[in-house]
Amino acid sequence: MVETFTESGVEESILDWLENNLNWDRCFARELDREHGREKDEPVYWNLLREKILEINDEIGEEDVDDFISSLRRDLSYESLLDGNESFLEILRKGKAFTIQDEDGEKERKYIRLIDPDNPEENDFTAVNQMTFRQKETKRPDIVLLVNGIPLVVMELKSEAQQQDYYDAIGDLKEGEKAVPKIFVPTLLNVAADESEYRYGATGTPEDHHYPWREAPERFEDIDNEVKKAVHAMFNHETLFDILRYFIFYGQREGETVKIVPRYMQYYAANNIVRRIKRGDYKSGLIWHTQGSGKSYTMFFAAYKIEKTRPVDNPKTLIVVDRDKLNEQMKKDLHSVEFPNFKVASTIGHLERLIDEDASRTILTTIQKFQDVDVRREEDNYIILSDEAHRFLEKKLGSKLQKALPNAYHFGFTGTPVREGERDTFQLFMPEGKSELYLHRYSIAQGIKDKLILPVHFEIKDTVWDLTEEEMEKLDLEFEKEFDDLSIEERTEVIRRYVSKSDLAEIRPRVREIVGNINKHYDSKLKETEFKAMVVTPSRRAAAIYKEEMDKQRDPNETEVIYSGGSTSDNVISQYIKSSEEIDEAIESFEKPESDPQILIVCDMLLTGFDAPILKTMYLDRPLKDHTLLQAIARTNRPKEGKYNGLIVDYQRVFENIDEALDYPQEIRDMAAIESGKLKEDFENTLNSILKLFESVEIEDTQESINECVNLLSKNPERRKKFNEKYRKLQDLYETISPDEFLVRDDIESKYTLVNQIYLVFRRKQRRESAPEESLRKKTKNLIEKHVDVEGIKERNPVYEISQEHLERISDLEPAAKATEIAYATQQHIKSRINRNPRYVDLSERVRQIAERWQRGEIEDQKAARKLTEVEEDVLDLESEPEERDLRESEFAIFTLLEDEHAEDKSDEDEREQIAKDIGEAFRELDTDYSGWDTNEEVIKKLRRRIIKVINEHGKLESLYKGSDFVDKAIEYIVENEREEK
C-alpha cells in the first residue's frame, strides 16, 4: 500500500517521519528560540551549540568556550556564500583550531569539534519548523534540520492544494540564498518537495541541478512513497554524517566556486566498493552506470572515502582511465576539488615509482602506461578503479595491469559493457566464487526517469544518388571491367550491396546528396534553436569530403572537421589536420551557443567522452554496433534547458535492425534509441491526455470555454498537477518535432494552440503573471504570435491587485471563476506581506482552508466565492485601519499583536494604541538612515532595550517580555515594515 501524507500536509508528514522513525527531536522555532535565546539574525542556536561543545570536547572548559564561540561566529561572515560554506564544512569535518591555556600557563593549539559523527548518539538532532531568519529580508523556511544547533539542511515544501509544487519550492530556496545567505553558510543540502516529488541540491547550485533520491538502505527499501523513502534514506543519522564527511567537494567552473554533492547512485556505488574492501571477502566488482550519470565523480567519492577511512592498511588507490583527454580532465577536476594526497603518473617510469613507494595515496594514470611497466607488487592494499572497463579487454592491457598488481582489489566502471565471445566485461569483474554481474547498476531507464540523461530518438534516411560513367571509372577500374555490361542503375545497385559501408561514405555524389539532406534538416529543426549537430563518418577521408561538400552549400564557418593527425599523402585529408590546441579551440567554440561552428564533422574523435549538452542531433554515416554505438548515442543525451531528446539521423541504416546493432538485454535495446515516429505518437497522446482533463467542457476557442477549463484546474489539485506536467512535456515535444506536416493535419496544431490559450489564461489567473507568453519556447511562441490574440487575452483576463475595484470588476463572473480569481489574487497579495502583520497569517490560513474545502467538493462554488470575497474584504479593511487609527504600518502591527495575542496584559484599546505609538517613536529615535541598519546587531539590541523600556513605562507589563515572545515579534514587525517604508 502506498503511504500518503497527513491531512495537514507535507510539512507535518516529514516532521512526523523525522520524529517517530529517524530519532530527530521536533520543535517549533519560536519555542526553541525562547529556550536558547536565539536572535532572528543568528543562523545558529549558539547556546545549544555551546552545551554540546562542552559535552563532546574534553579539551575545552567553561573558561574558554565563550571565546571559542565568538571566534566561530566570525566564520559565518563571508562575502561569498560558497566560500563561507566551504570553510565551514572544513570546520564541521575537522573541528576548529583554538588556542587553550592550561593550568601552568602553557598555550596549546587544539581542534575543537562541533559535532561527533563517530558517536551519533552524542549529538543533538532537531527538526525545527518555521524558523524565522532576518538578513537582507526576512525568510521562514518550512523545516530546518539542526545538529547541535547548526543548520545542516534547509527544506522548502509545497502543496498542489495551494497551486504550487516542488519547482516553486526550489525557487524559494534560491530566493533564500540571496535574501538570507548567512543561514546557508553552514548547510550541507537544500531540499524541495511536494506531495509526490522530492528534489535535493547543493548549497548555491542552479535550479536545474536538483535531483531525486530514489534508492535507500535495505531497511527503508520497501517504502512506497518516494518522498518518504528519500527523507528516510538521506536523513537517518548515519547517512547524513556519511555525506558530510566523505561526499562533498568544492571545485571551480568558469572561474566560480561550485559545490558538488553525490547523486544517489554515486553514493551507494562508492559505499559498496568501500564496504567490499573492508570485508575483504571478494576482490572485484563492476559498477555498471549509464553514460552521463557521473562515473568520474563516483570514482572520486570512492577514492576519497578509501583515503579517509582506510578499509585496508595503507591503501593505495589507482584511478585508471583509457584516454589522454580524460586523464587531463580528471587531473584538472582532482586539482579543482583539492583532492588530498593524489599524484598523476606522467610517464611509465613515474608510474613504476609511484606503485613501488609505500606511501598511501591516490594515483591517476592511463591504462596505456601499463603496456611497458616493469614492476610487481603482491600486497593486497592496492585498489584499482578502472574507467571504461571494457577497454581492459583490448591489447592485453588488462593482463599487464594484473601482472603488476596481482592481488589488488579491482573495480570496473562502464556504461557500455562488452560481451563478445572471450571479451566479456561481466566475466572479467565477476568476483571469484560469486555469481554477480555487477556490484551496482544504474540503467538508461533510471537516468531518463531522473532526467540526468534524455531519451534518444532515431530516424532512418534513404538516399537517392546516381554515378556518372566518369565517377564509376574513378571508383574502381577493376569493378568497371567486371561489370561493364551493366547499366548505370544496375551498377549503382551492385555498389550499394557489395561495396563496403566505409567506401560508400567516401563516394562524393552520395555525400553531396546527404549533405543537402542534412542542411535541409538542420535549417528546419535546429537553426532557430540554440542546439548544434555532429556528422559522424567512418574515415578521415570521408570526413574531409563531407567538409568540402558542406562548404559548397553553407557558410564554411558553420562547420568544422575534427580528426586525429598523422602523416598522409592524401591532400584531401591533410588540408584539415589540426593541432591539439586548434582542436581544443574548435570544441570550446562549439560548446558556446553564440559561436560557430554549428556542425562538427568527425570520424573517431569525440565519439567517447565528449559531453556537450548543446549537441542535440547526430547525422550518422558510419556503421557502428554494440558498445561503440551506445557510446555514440550517448553524445546527444545530455540535458539542457529546452532539450527534450537527442536525435540520431541514420544514413547507414544501423537502426534498421536494432537487435543486431545492439547485442544487449532487451531493456537496453528498448531504451538506447527510440524510433522518431514515437515522438509524434507521444505528442498526440500527450495532447489528447491534456484535452481529456477537460472532457466535461465543450472545448471551443471562446472565452467562456477557456474560463471553464481554467476553473476546472483551479478546483482540482490533481488535475492541475497533471496539466502542468503534461504541458511542460508537450511544449518540449513541439519544439523537437516542429516543423513537420504531422502538426498541421487532423487539427493537431489547432488543438495545441487551444491548449496554449488555456495555459496563458491559467498562468495569468493562477500566478498573476502579466506576460506568461514570454516564458514559452521559441517555436511555441512563434505559433502563439501567429494564431492567438495575446492582447485580447490580456484585456479579457487583467491581472488586478486586490481592491474594491477588483471586487467590482469580478462581481459578474460565474461563481467558480470568481472563487478562482479571488483565491489566487488574495494569496499572492498576502504572500508578500505575511511578515508585516500577524493578522496576515490568519487571513492566509482562511484562504487556504476555504480553497481546500472547495477543491475537495465540501462546499459549492457559490459558497466558496462568497467566503473568499469576505476574506478579500477583510484584507482591505486590515490595510485601511492604520490610517483610521493614525498609526504607521509598524505601529499597527504592534497594536494587532497586543490586541490578538496579549489582550489580557492591557484590556484598554486606547492604551494598546499608545504603547504601539510609543514603541514606534522609540524606533524613530534610532539612527537608521543608512543601508544595512536592519541587520545591524547594535540597532536590534538598542531597539530591544527601548521596547522593554516603553513596556515598563506603561506599568506592570513584565509578562510582555518575561516568558513571552512579544519583544521578538515586535522587532520583526518593525524591521519588516520600516524596511519597506524606507
Side-chain angles (χ1 to χ4, degrees):
M1 179 179 175
V2 176
E3 298 190 50
T4 57
F5 289 90
T6 61
E7 281 189 10
S8 49
V10 185
E11 181 179 321
E12 180 64 27
S13 295
I14 290 178
L15 287 167
D16 180 67
W17 302 333
L18 289 164
E19 180 182 24
N20 295 319
N21 302 349
L22 297 172
N23 297 319
W24 289 78
D25 293 329
R26 172 180 174 175
C27 193
F28 189 66
R30 289 196 185 280
E31 296 171 6
L32 201 65
D33 289 353
R34 277 200 302 271
E35 181 181 350
H36 294 287
R38 184 188 76 93
E39 298 290 345
K40 297 300 184 291
D41 59 348
E42 292 288 3
V44 174
Y45 285 85
W46 293 110
N47 290 337
L48 173 57
L49 178 59
R50 183 184 188 279
E51 294 172 14
K52 299 308 297 183
I53 286 171
L54 290 170
E55 285 180 21
I56 63 179
N57 294 276
D58 295 333
E59 301 89 344
I60 192 168
E62 287 281 355
E63 66 279 5
D64 294 308
V65 69
D66 290 329
D67 288 341
F68 175 78
I69 291 288
S70 294
S71 71
L72 191 60
R73 286 174 182 266
R74 292 191 289 272
D75 291 308
L76 294 175
S77 300
Y78 274 83
E79 288 294 322
S80 164
L81 169 59
L82 283 182
D83 287 347
N85 191 261
E86 182 177 7
S87 296
F88 204 86
L89 178 64
E90 191 74 3
I91 295 172
L92 288 170
R93 283 176 168 173
K94 294 182 178 180
K96 179 177 173 61
F98 186 68
T99 302
I100 296 175
Q101 185 171 306
D102 62 21
E103 294 177 355
D104 298 326
E106 295 293 325
K107 292 184 178 180
E108 188 176 357
R109 201 160 178 79
K110 300 278 190 178
Y111 274 88
I112 307 302
R113 294 170 299 154
L114 309 189
I115 58 174
D116 185 1
D118 292 324
N119 302 287
E121 69 281 358
E122 297 300 321
N123 299 277
D124 182 283
F125 294 87
T126 305
V128 58
N129 60 322
Q130 302 302 317
M131 177 180 172
T132 301
F133 187 75
R134 182 176 61 245
Q135 197 175 351
K136 299 174 186 176
E137 299 176 23
T138 299
K139 294 292 182 181
R140 190 180 288 118
D142 291 315
I143 297 176
V144 178
L145 301 187
L146 308 169
V147 176
N148 296 345
I150 303 167
L152 296 188
V153 180
V154 177
M155 296 185 179
E156 287 288 359
L157 311 169
K158 299 298 177 185
S159 169
E160 275 296 319
Q162 298 175 45
Q163 298 86 43
Q164 294 186 311
D165 59 17
Y166 75 91
Y167 284 95
D168 301 286
I170 293 173
D172 284 354
L173 288 165
K174 295 294 97 184
E175 286 180 17
E177 288 180 346
K178 293 175 183 176
V180 287
K182 204 170 180 180
I183 197 174
F184 291 91
V185 170
T187 59
L188 306 179
L189 301 165
N190 293 336
V191 169
D194 57 34
E195 290 95 338
S196 58
E197 298 288 347
Y198 174 99
R199 296 292 184 273
Y200 73 99
T203 315
T205 200
E207 292 189 16
D208 58 352
H209 281 57
H210 288 72
Y211 300 108
W213 189 286
R214 301 193 199 277
E215 200 169 332
E218 188 174 345
R219 66 187 186 276
F220 302 132
E221 192 57 47
D222 291 336
I223 297 174
D224 291 324
N225 180 287
E226 286 203 4
V227 179
K228 184 174 183 179
K229 177 186 276 190
V231 169
H232 283 69
M234 294 189 77
F235 303 123
N236 64 83
H237 300 170
E238 296 82 3
T239 299
L240 181 63
F241 276 152
D242 199 30
I243 291 172
L244 184 155
R245 299 171 87 180
Y246 309 119
F247 288 89
I248 297 175
F249 293 131
Y250 295 83
Q252 294 292 316
R253 288 180 190 158
E254 298 179 359
E256 293 187 355
T257 301
V258 293
K259 184 176 180 179
I260 300 151
V261 297
R263 298 164 184 165
Y264 67 88
M265 81 295 299
Q266 295 171 324
Y267 176 78
Y268 291 113
N271 270 328
N272 284 359
I273 289 170
V274 176
R275 193 176 300 115
R276 176 157 291 182
I277 297 168
K278 189 172 183 178
R279 288 175 180 169
D281 47 359
Y282 299 109
K283 306 284 294 241
S284 62
L286 182 66
I287 306 301
W288 183 10
H289 285 187
T290 189
Q291 296 171 92
S293 59
K295 291 190 293 296
S296 293
Y297 274 98
T298 307
M299 298 170 85
F300 291 174
F301 288 129
Y304 185 83
K305 189 165 185 180
I306 290 167
E307 171 70 23
K308 293 297 182 182
T309 63
R310 305 296 176 99
V312 292
D313 291 337
N314 200 34
K316 187 170 289 187
T317 304
L318 284 81
I319 297 177
V320 183
V321 300
D322 69 327
R323 289 173 288 114
D324 288 335
K325 283 282 185 186
L326 182 56
N327 190 64
E328 284 300 312
Q329 183 59 52
M330 280 201 167
K331 174 183 173 182
K332 181 180 176 183
D333 289 342
L334 286 166
H335 277 298
S336 174
V337 301
E338 297 181 352
F339 197 94
N341 199 22
F342 87 94
K343 296 283 186 180
V344 180
S346 55
T347 64
I348 293 172
H350 188 209
L351 176 60
E352 290 175 340
R353 291 192 298 276
L354 291 172
I355 290 174
D356 238 359
E357 292 173 359
D358 289 330
S360 173
R361 62 163 53 98
T362 299
I363 302 166
L364 174 64
T365 183
T366 59
I367 182 62
Q368 288 78 11
K369 288 188 176 69
F370 280 93
Q371 182 68 38
D372 298 307
V373 78
D374 185 20
V375 68
R376 181 178 176 87
R377 295 299 296 260
E378 298 190 3
E379 299 92 331
D380 65 356
N381 62 328
Y382 288 85
I383 299 148
I384 303 165
L385 307 178
S386 304
D387 190 39
E388 297 302 341
H390 60 274
R391 289 293 296 269
F392 286 85
L393 304 167
E394 300 173 13
K395 300 179 183 178
K396 299 184 178 178
L397 294 174
S399 61
K400 294 279 189 179
L401 187 153
Q402 176 70 18
K403 183 179 178 182
L405 302 168
N407 296 315
Y409 289 87
H410 195 173
F411 300 93
F413 291 72
T414 187
T416 54
V418 175
R419 186 174 256 176
E420 300 171 356
E422 294 182 0
R423 302 174 73 241
D424 191 324
T425 309
F426 300 107
Q427 192 64 43
L428 179 66
F429 290 96
M430 186 178 291
E432 186 176 346
K434 184 177 178 64
S435 180
E436 171 192 274
L437 290 178
Y438 47 82
L439 181 59
H440 195 268
R441 173 84 194 280
Y442 185 72
S443 68
I444 296 173
Q446 287 173 294
I448 291 172
K449 181 179 180 181
D450 293 344
K451 298 184 180 178
L452 288 183
I453 58 174
L454 300 174
V456 176
H457 293 257
F458 69 86
E459 56 184 72
I460 299 172
K461 290 285 188 180
D462 287 313
T463 56
V464 179
W465 50 278
D466 294 314
L467 291 178
T468 65
E469 291 284 353
E470 180 181 2
E471 288 163 341
M472 288 292 288
E473 289 173 8
K474 288 180 179 179
L475 177 64
D476 192 278
L477 292 175
E478 292 300 316
F479 180 95
E480 178 72 15
K481 290 176 183 178
E482 187 71 26
F483 299 103
D484 62 353
D485 58 330
L486 300 181
S487 68
I488 292 291
E489 292 77 12
E490 290 169 329
R491 278 180 282 178
T492 300
E493 180 58 29
V494 170
I495 289 170
R496 284 197 179 98
R497 294 179 61 186
Y498 298 109
V499 175
S500 76
K501 292 189 174 183
S502 294
D503 290 337
L504 203 63
E506 295 178 9
I507 298 174
R508 196 173 289 272
R510 178 180 173 280
V511 171
R512 188 180 302 124
E513 181 69 25
I514 291 176
V515 164
N517 188 274
I518 288 172
N519 285 333
K520 183 178 178 181
H521 186 278
Y522 177 88
D523 289 342
S524 64
K525 300 288 187 179
L526 293 180
K527 192 171 184 178
E528 296 302 315
T529 72
E530 60 179 33
F531 301 115
K532 297 188 179 184
M534 174 186 285
V535 178
V536 178
T537 71
S539 67
R540 292 192 299 171
R541 181 174 177 80
I545 291 172
Y546 263 95
K547 171 64 174 169
E548 288 180 341
E549 292 301 321
M550 280 200 152
D551 285 354
K552 296 173 185 176
Q553 299 188 33
R554 64 187 314 120
D555 183 348
N557 292 324
E558 292 184 349
T559 63
E560 192 67 80
V561 62
I562 292 178
Y563 44 63
S564 56
S567 61
T568 176
S569 59
D570 190 331
N571 292 333
V572 174
I573 297 173
S574 62
Q575 65 180 321
Y576 297 118
I577 290 177
K578 296 176 176 63
S579 67
S580 59
E581 291 78 11
E582 289 172 325
I583 289 173
D584 289 344
E585 186 179 328
I587 291 172
E588 187 177 339
S589 248
F590 178 78
E591 292 175 337
K592 297 176 180 176
E594 69 280 1
S595 302
D596 284 330
Q598 303 299 314
I599 303 172
L600 290 180
I601 306 166
V602 305
C603 52
D604 289 314
M605 291 186 73
L606 308 187
L607 287 189
T608 61
F610 178 57
D611 295 336
I614 202 168
L615 174 59
K616 179 172 183 176
T617 301
M618 176 181 287
Y619 300 105
L620 181 63
D621 194 19
R622 176 178 176 176
L624 297 173
K625 64 180 302 185
D626 295 336
H627 68 279
T628 55
L629 179 57
L630 271 185
Q631 288 175 329
I633 289 170
R635 304 288 66 81
T636 68
N637 73 1
R638 301 307 195 256
K640 185 175 172 61
E641 180 69 24
K643 182 178 172 184
Y644 177 76
N645 66 286
L647 178 66
I648 311 290
V649 181
D650 178 11
Y651 294 98
Q652 285 276 3
R653 308 189 75 81
V654 170
F655 290 93
E656 194 166 40
N657 190 333
I658 194 70
D659 291 345
E660 288 184 8
L662 287 172
D663 185 17
Y664 284 101
Q666 190 64 46
E667 58 163 310
I668 295 179
R669 293 199 297 269
D670 289 344
M671 298 304 299
I674 305 162
E675 201 276 316
S676 64
K678 293 193 179 294
L679 279 171
K680 298 174 185 177
E681 183 181 324
D682 198 9
F683 181 90
E684 191 163 11
N685 289 340
T686 304
L687 177 61
N688 289 333
S689 68
I690 289 178
L691 294 174
K692 193 174 181 181
L693 295 173
F694 310 111
E695 58 187 351
S696 62
V697 177
E698 186 176 343
I699 302 180
E700 300 172 328
D701 186 7
T702 65
Q703 176 71 9
E704 292 74 18
S705 177
I706 290 172
N707 279 342
E708 282 189 64
C709 293
V710 171
N711 292 339
L712 283 176
L713 295 177
S714 304
K715 291 176 65 174
N716 189 308
E718 186 60 32
R719 182 185 280 119
R720 184 167 59 247
K721 184 178 179 67
K722 287 180 180 178
F723 177 77
N724 282 326
E725 290 174 349
K726 290 175 183 295
Y727 178 79
R728 282 192 287 262
K729 177 180 178 181
L730 189 69
Q731 190 179 186
D732 285 339
L733 283 166
Y734 185 83
E735 295 300 295
T736 295
I737 297 168
S738 179
D740 194 285
E741 291 181 2
F742 156 79
L743 293 171
V744 296
R745 68 170 175 79
D746 298 331
D747 295 327
I748 292 289
E749 195 167 76
S750 62
K751 290 178 181 177
Y752 181 58
T753 302
L754 187 57
V755 166
N756 274 285
Q757 290 184 72
I758 295 171
Y759 176 78
L760 293 178
V761 174
F762 177 57
R763 296 295 288 193
R764 286 181 67 82
K765 286 179 175 291
Q766 180 199 29
R767 301 289 184 162
R768 320 296 293 162
E769 294 177 10
S770 59
E773 66 278 0
E774 294 302 319
S775 64
L776 298 176
R777 301 257 192 269
K778 190 167 185 177
K779 292 179 183 178
T780 298
K781 192 174 179 181
N782 290 341
L783 177 75
I784 295 302
E785 288 174 352
K786 184 177 179 181
H787 295 294
V788 175
D789 179 11
V790 175
E791 291 305 314
I793 287 178
K794 290 181 179 181
E795 290 174 9
R796 292 188 296 273
N797 301 278
V799 178
Y800 290 113
E801 295 295 322
I802 69 168
S803 61
Q804 284 299 332
E805 181 188 10
H806 175 243
L807 289 172
E808 290 168 9
R809 285 182 175 273
I810 64 173
S811 60
D812 294 332
L813 291 179
E814 58 94 12
K818 188 175 182 180
T820 298
E821 171 67 25
I822 296 174
Y824 292 150
T826 308
Q827 283 175 327
Q828 189 82 356
H829 182 85
I830 292 175
K831 183 180 177 182
S832 63
R833 294 164 171 77
I834 197 79
N835 295 321
R836 296 180 63 182
N837 192 293
R839 289 181 182 170
Y840 280 125
V841 177
D842 296 333
L843 289 164
S844 177
E845 183 62 17
R846 281 174 62 192
V847 175
R848 185 188 68 78
Q849 289 179 359
I850 295 166
E852 287 185 358
R853 289 186 64 201
W854 176 45
Q855 289 161 359
R856 289 195 298 264
E858 295 175 10
I859 55 177
E860 298 295 326
D861 296 349
Q862 192 167 6
K863 187 173 182 179
R866 176 172 55 78
K867 283 182 168 293
L868 287 166
T869 299
E870 290 171 1
V871 175
E872 182 169 347
E873 288 171 342
D874 287 348
V875 172
L876 296 175
D877 289 344
L878 176 69
E879 293 178 356
S880 64
E881 194 171 347
E883 185 175 352
E884 293 169 5
R885 292 183 178 274
D886 191 27
L887 294 172
R888 293 169 63 87
E889 294 283 351
S890 57
E891 295 167 351
F892 179 63
I894 294 168
F895 169 78
T896 57
L897 185 61
L898 289 166
E899 183 93 353
D900 298 347
E901 299 182 24
H902 300 278
E904 72 282 1
D905 295 301
K906 268 295 179 183
S907 58
D908 182 80
E909 182 177 302
D910 291 338
E911 188 151 11
R912 285 195 287 274
E913 278 192 24
Q914 192 58 50
I915 291 171
K917 286 181 179 180
D918 290 348
I919 290 175
E921 182 62 33
F923 166 77
R924 287 189 292 278
E925 291 172 359
L926 297 173
D927 178 14
T928 58
D929 290 330
Y930 59 91
S931 176
W933 66 267
D934 50 330
T935 58
N936 186 304
E937 290 184 22
E938 198 57 37
V939 170
I940 302 302
K941 287 179 181 177
K942 288 179 179 178
L943 178 57
R944 178 180 297 278
R945 288 196 295 267
R946 294 190 180 208
I947 292 174
I948 293 172
K949 183 180 178 183
V950 169
I951 292 171
N952 285 327
E953 286 173 351
H954 280 267
K956 297 182 180 181
L957 290 171
E958 286 187 359
S959 60
L960 286 178
Y961 63 87
K962 288 187 177 179
S964 165
D965 58 5
F966 170 78
V967 175
D968 287 336
K969 288 184 177 181
I971 292 171
E972 283 182 45
Y973 292 129
I974 290 170
V975 169
E976 283 297 309
N977 283 284
E978 295 297 336
R979 180 161 50 198
E980 290 295 322
E981 294 275 338
K982 290 178 182 292

